[in-house]
Amino acid sequence: MTSTGTEKYAEQLATTTLLRFATAGSVDDGKSTLVGRLLHDSKSVLTDQLEAVAHASRNRGQETPDLALLTDGLRAEREQGITIDVAYRYFATPRRRFILADTPGHVQYTRNMVTGASTAELAVVLVDARNGVVEQTRRHAAVAALLRVPHVVLAVNKMDLVAYAEPVFAAIAEEFTAYAASLGVPEITAIPISALAGDNVVEPSAHMDWYGGPTVLEHLETVPVSHDLADCPARFPVQYVIRPQSAEHPDYRGYAGQIASGVLRVGDAVTVLPSGRTSTVEGIDALGESVTVAWAPQSVTVRLADDIDVSRGDLIAPTASAPGTTQDVEATVCHVADRPLTVGQRVLLKHTTRTVKAIVKDIPSRLTLDDLSQHPAPGRLVANDIGRVTIRTAEPLALDAYADSRRTGSFLLIDPADGTTLTAGMAGAAFAAESAVALPAQDDEGWDF
Amino acid sequence: MRPTVATVGEGTDAPYALSHLDALESEAVHIFREVAGEFERPVILFSGGKDSIVMLHLALKAFTPAPVPFSLLHVDTGHNFPEVLAYRDRTVAEHGLRLHVASVQDYIDAGTLRERPDGTRNPLQTVPLTEKIQAERFDAVFGGGRRDEEKARAKERVFSLRDEFSQWDPRRQRPELWQLYNGRHAAGEHVRVFPISNWTELDVWQYIAREGIELPEIYFAHEREVFSRSGMWLTAGDWGGPKDGETVELRQVRYRTVGDMSCTGAVDSDATTLDAVIAEIAASRLTERGATRADDKMSEAAMEDRKREGYF
């Protein structure tokens, strides 16, 4: 590499950002083909991996390499020919690095879709152009809305099978956009593609000159990623107190943590919650480097001007925009464990760096993702159920609404007996327009989660 | 040390964007601090390979100006590269760390483990590793595993619960939501923690270059006596090579991974600098493990099977 090459490379490195996204799609929508093409065309599938797939396919008596074997990493998955669990995949272009949460599309794996979407900044929802928006599409849109994924891409796949016809695409895009927008999905981009033929995935399609938008990869490369975190008020959950007590640093007392949202500056007047004590940010150490400003999701160490009691589990926030504290949590949850969650159950609640005792006071309703109808007082939630709960905690929590901050509005319910993760929780209302779409309760029979 | 905060240029999410390396670093530091906050006796698996070196560097940054609140654990196969052992001891001394060693050779000498016919010692590491974890009552064990390495690893959680036999059950993993890591475990169980799960081989090299991290010299092209076995260049030595029909030659090579000499192959290379190594990896059509690891070629599920037994 020449010296100019190295400089260019270093420059490129500093401006390469990271996008986390999730894919959702039913088994036959062509998700594997789309993922395979993104990986393949970005040179992320290498010769030895392809050889291993070809070899394994031959051993199974298949004539052509089965690309699903690239992604199905577990024995049980290969035996059954299905994807059971979320897998994370990595690829890069010169502009951006991507972490793809490859989530199974099967209905009974709603919890896995929730897992993948919880860290995603973008979700790709696949639709078969021949079938249009189906129940499963609505479920995927609802999960993306519930988890507040900031950007949603509707990939209308198999356009080659509908003669690349614009009206087919336009009708599906319109129906989906109206539905997703009613749920509060902030940004929807619809792209007509053929994952198999390669139309509009990486290369623009020669068959759809009526489409003037980006390809899937172009969109992934250019969609803004961190604005939503920096626009929010600052939230700094204290993870660990750094106190060297060494000859060199006899008085250093720093609060280590990852900025959950917003921007923190030296000089900011701050409040420590739940105690309510106030102080000023005296210094910010960014992993050994002193800085005057830091923002989400940087891991930093904050020093305060006053020697007040601060420990793991506390939240530092600007005094002007500090959250309230509460011991009564109302939330939408997705139940992820095989054992049920019941009214009256004693649990642990993990919120940011704080874990407290809690009790499930009520489960007022369970949600059907198909039509967003509420089923009242189910009494319990089982695996893959989404429902409303109210929880009483033993200690006050500085909780934001999940709609305002995915990081400080989310929590886990944990079984105190053995540590099993029971439930994923999102504080506050479930959907932006929940009241507008709530339907009368119906019979449970159609519920297939 | 270079600035942590990237200068953000046009075309990105100015003004509050993080470069991808900063985002990965930030996430890894968060994971180290979570473990420090929630566990009693954590330990970092340290092999002297690039991934564990990067992990140690991240841990040093996470707790600065205080020392790293973890000790190190090395599983010594008895077939390690001397350059790597020298690097290990130098690093431990430089940072005033505590090093635990679990020795495969001790187990073989005691008759508890038997040498395999193929001479590969990598699979033999599991027993000394898991017994050391139990004996020292470690409750969190950091590993440098990356999900891009292998498809079974792509299914691994950042916090991975292991039972009292150190077993991994991929079908009974806890879902991992947001950045809320659940490290609760019963006495006798422990959690394997993978802070650089989301890094790729290229990320690791780019980070090493950015941070100016020193590596064992076998990562850079040098002349070495090697012989060919199963399509890989193995270092000749007392550990068991070459055998009849295998001939030693002097070649210019380097290592992409550092493991046991009996199963880690060298690649032909002219890359003597970090820039050259990065350029070489960016252009390579082979994965790191595909190019240099014999043990993963044993069967389609070799890694999954070893991980189930307690391998890291």
Side-chain angles (χ1 to χ4, degrees):
Chain A
M1 208 181 271
T2 64
S3 68
T4 348
T6 312
E7 275 164 34
K8 257 191 193 157
Y9 180 74
E11 193 183 307
Q12 182 193 311
L13 196 61
T15 55
T16 304
T17 51
L18 188 64
L19 178 79
R20 291 167 198 257
F21 74 106
T23 51
S26 307
V27 183
D28 298 324
D29 287 346
K31 188 166 70 74
S32 305
T33 316
L34 176 65
V35 170
R37 187 160 284 281
L38 284 171
L39 293 175
H40 183 268
D41 290 5
S42 64
K43 220 200 80 170
S44 303
V45 182
L46 300 183
T47 311
D48 55 314
Q49 292 170 314
L50 282 174
E51 276 171 7
V53 166
H55 181 74
S57 303
R58 274 197 305 278
N59 284 350
R60 285 177 168 72
Q62 292 164 310
E63 279 177 19
T64 52
D66 179 1
L67 285 178
L69 295 174
L70 269 178
T71 51
D72 289 343
L74 301 175
R75 270 185 191 281
E77 291 178 324
R78 288 190 295 271
E79 282 160 13
Q80 297 174 44
I82 56 163
T83 312
I84 292 169
D85 203 349
V86 183
Y88 294 89
R89 327 228 158 258
Y90 304 84
F91 66 100
T93 68
R95 299 165 86 167
R96 199 168 254 181
R97 297 264 158 163
F98 301 96
I99 299 178
L100 160 58
D102 190 5
T103 63
H106 218 259
V107 256
Q108 76 216 54
Y109 299 119
T110 301
R111 57 185 164 188
N112 289 326
M113 215 185 304
V114 168
T115 299
S118 74
T119 51
E121 292 142 320
L122 180 146
V124 178
V125 176
L126 266 155
V127 169
D128 185 327
R130 296 169 301 176
N131 304 329
V133 174
V134 294
E135 255 183 44
Q136 187 74 335
T137 317
R138 280 192 288 272
R139 280 196 200 104
H140 294 151
V143 169
L146 194 65
L147 272 290
R148 308 273 171 181
V149 179
H151 308 276
V152 170
V153 172
L154 172 73
V156 181
N157 192 25
K158 306 193 184 182
M159 285 301 292
D160 52 322
L161 300 182
V162 293
Y164 296 106
E166 181 178 16
V168 175
F169 168 74
I172 295 170
E174 194 184 326
E175 184 183 351
F176 181 85
T177 304
Y179 179 74
S182 77
L183 299 175
V185 173
E187 193 189 282
I188 301 145
T189 304
I191 305 176
I193 67 167
S194 166
L196 195 67
D199 293 286
N200 289 336
V201 178
V202 173
E203 298 295 328
S205 171
H207 303 102
M208 292 179 274
D209 50 12
W210 46 264
Y211 174 73
T215 66
V216 173
L217 188 64
E218 269 168 26
H219 183 68
L220 293 174
E221 282 184 313
T222 52
V223 70
V225 285
S226 50
H227 60 95
D228 53 322
L229 286 174
D231 284 348
C232 307
R235 297 286 183 260
F236 186 73
V238 176
Q239 264 191 300
Y240 190 76
V241 181
I242 293 179
R243 242 189 127 186
Q245 293 177 294
S246 59
E248 204 186 336
H249 303 281
D251 301 319
Y252 188 96
R253 188 182 173 89
Y255 305 109
Q258 186 172 26
I259 301 177
S261 65
V263 181
L264 214 53
R265 289 185 175 79
V266 171
D268 281 355
V270 291
T271 298
V272 180
L273 296 165
S275 73
R277 292 185 184 88
T278 58
S279 186
T280 308
V281 175
E282 186 182 68
I284 303 172
D285 299 323
L287 309 182
E289 196 87 13
S290 186
V291 296
T292 54
V293 57
W295 57 89
Q298 282 185 279
S299 280
V300 296
T301 306
V302 170
R303 287 176 285 115
L304 298 182
D306 304 281
D307 198 9
I308 55 177
D309 178 20
V310 181
S311 58
R312 175 172 170 85
D314 288 345
L315 184 88
I316 296 175
T319 304
S321 54
T325 60
T326 182
Q327 284 179 257
D328 294 293
V329 180
E330 291 188 29
T332 300
V333 300
C334 176
H335 192 66
V336 296
D338 289 329
R339 69 189 75 155
L341 186 78
T342 54
V343 173
Q345 194 170 340
R346 288 177 187 279
V347 293
L348 293 170
L349 186 154
K350 182 167 186 176
H351 170 245
T352 66
T353 55
R354 190 176 189 85
T355 303
V356 299
K357 288 183 179 176
I359 185 163
V360 179
K361 297 297 277 187
D362 192 17
I363 302 177
S365 64
R366 197 181 60 185
L367 179 77
T368 301
L369 282 180
D370 305 346
D371 58 4
L372 300 176
S373 61
Q374 305 277 351
H375 297 236
R380 56 189 232 151
L381 297 175
V382 300
N384 297 305
D385 274 357
I386 287 168
R388 299 282 300 163
V389 299
T390 58
I391 300 160
R392 173 78 181 172
T393 60
E395 295 166 47
L397 296 175
L399 195 76
D400 284 299
Y402 186 78
D404 297 330
S405 169
R406 297 170 86 192
R407 193 90 185 233
T408 52
S410 57
F411 60 86
L412 301 181
L413 298 184
I414 295 168
D415 189 330
D418 63 359
T420 299
T421 299
L422 298 171
T423 305
M426 292 151 278
F431 298 105
E434 190 176 25
S435 55
V437 288
L439 298 169
Q442 296 168 356
D443 190 66
D444 273 4
E445 294 308 307
W447 184 254
D448 59 352
F449 276 79
Chain B
M1 220 174 268
R2 310 223 189 143
T4 308
V5 180
T7 316
V8 175
E10 283 173 31
T12 60
D13 316 290
Y16 296 117
L18 284 190
S19 76
H20 83 278
L21 282 183
D22 286 321
L24 291 172
E25 178 188 60
S26 199
E27 177 182 66
V29 163
H30 175 251
I31 293 161
F32 274 109
R33 289 165 166 179
E34 278 300 282
V35 170
E38 296 219 324
F39 290 82
E40 297 289 326
R41 286 179 63 79
V43 70
I44 300 176
L45 286 177
F46 188 81
S47 66
K50 65 183 185 311
D51 298 319
S52 57
I53 290 169
V54 163
M55 279 210 301
L56 179 60
H57 182 85
L58 290 162
L60 287 162
K61 289 185 87 167
F63 300 99
T64 186
V68 173
F70 315 122
S71 54
L72 302 185
L73 168 58
H74 183 219
V75 184
D76 186 341
T77 63
H79 288 162
N80 288 303
F81 293 93
E83 298 94 327
V84 176
L85 291 180
Y87 179 96
R88 177 195 78 181
D89 294 337
R90 221 162 48 232
T91 305
V92 166
E94 186 189 337
H95 300 293
L97 298 160
R98 179 162 176 222
L99 175 72
H100 305 267
V101 177
S103 162
V104 172
Q105 190 63 55
D106 286 354
Y107 277 76
I108 291 172
D109 293 346
T112 328
L113 284 178
R114 199 178 307 157
E115 198 89 70
R116 296 160 52 99
D118 62 6
T120 295
R121 284 194 169 178
N122 211 33
L124 301 184
Q125 291 182 76
T126 303
V127 170
L129 168 66
T130 55
E131 291 197 357
K132 193 71 169 177
I133 290 169
Q134 295 300 327
E136 295 285 341
R137 291 179 293 111
F138 293 127
D139 54 1
V141 180
F142 288 104
R146 305 189 323 263
R147 290 177 181 143
D148 81 318
E149 280 180 88
E150 210 277 338
K151 59 193 171 192
R153 285 225 163 117
K155 299 274 174 178
E156 178 71 271
R157 300 289 187 259
V158 173
F159 272 41
S160 179
L161 183 68
R162 304 298 172 103
D163 66 13
E164 59 191 309
F165 301 101
S166 290
Q167 295 180 115
W168 182 62
D169 184 348
R171 300 201 73 167
R172 292 178 53 86
Q173 299 193 90
R174 291 173 180 166
E176 211 150 69
L177 297 129
W178 298 287
Q179 287 80 12
L180 290 168
Y181 302 109
N182 176 1
R184 297 192 74 89
H185 59 282
E189 297 177 339
H190 71 278
V191 174
R192 298 281 172 90
V193 183
F194 301 98
I196 60 168
S197 277
N198 285 326
W199 299 44
T200 63
E201 183 186 16
L202 199 54
D203 295 329
V204 167
W205 278 103
Q206 289 174 343
Y207 188 72
I208 287 167
R210 188 185 86 168
E211 299 285 304
I213 301 169
E214 192 207 339
L215 290 182
E217 47 274 41
I218 67 169
Y219 277 114
F220 301 97
H222 57 287
E223 289 208 322
R224 176 176 284 265
E225 285 193 335
V226 292
F227 65 92
S228 176
R229 182 180 292 171
S230 314
M232 292 193 310
W233 294 114
L234 297 183
T235 290
D238 296 338
W239 62 267
K243 290 183 186 159
D244 295 343
E246 295 170 335
T247 48
V248 170
E249 32 182 314
L250 193 65
R251 296 185 77 89
Q252 165 115 331
V253 294
R254 67 173 203 88
Y255 283 85
R256 274 174 81 174
T257 63
V258 162
D260 187 278
M261 279 198 272
S262 62
C263 65
T264 310
V267 293
D268 287 313
S269 173
D270 302 319
T272 55
T273 64
L274 277 173
D275 277 351
V277 168
I278 290 171
E280 188 179 283
I281 291 165
S284 173
R285 296 301 299 147
L286 289 178
T287 65
E288 174 180 354
R289 292 205 157 250
T292 68
R293 286 300 179 99
D295 43 338
D296 291 332
K297 295 181 177 170
M298 288 176 191
S299 88
E300 205 182 326
M303 175 71 91
E304 180 181 346
D305 293 345
R306 275 183 291 142
K307 279 167 62 67
R308 280 174 178 274
E309 286 167 20
Y311 187 80
F312 73 91

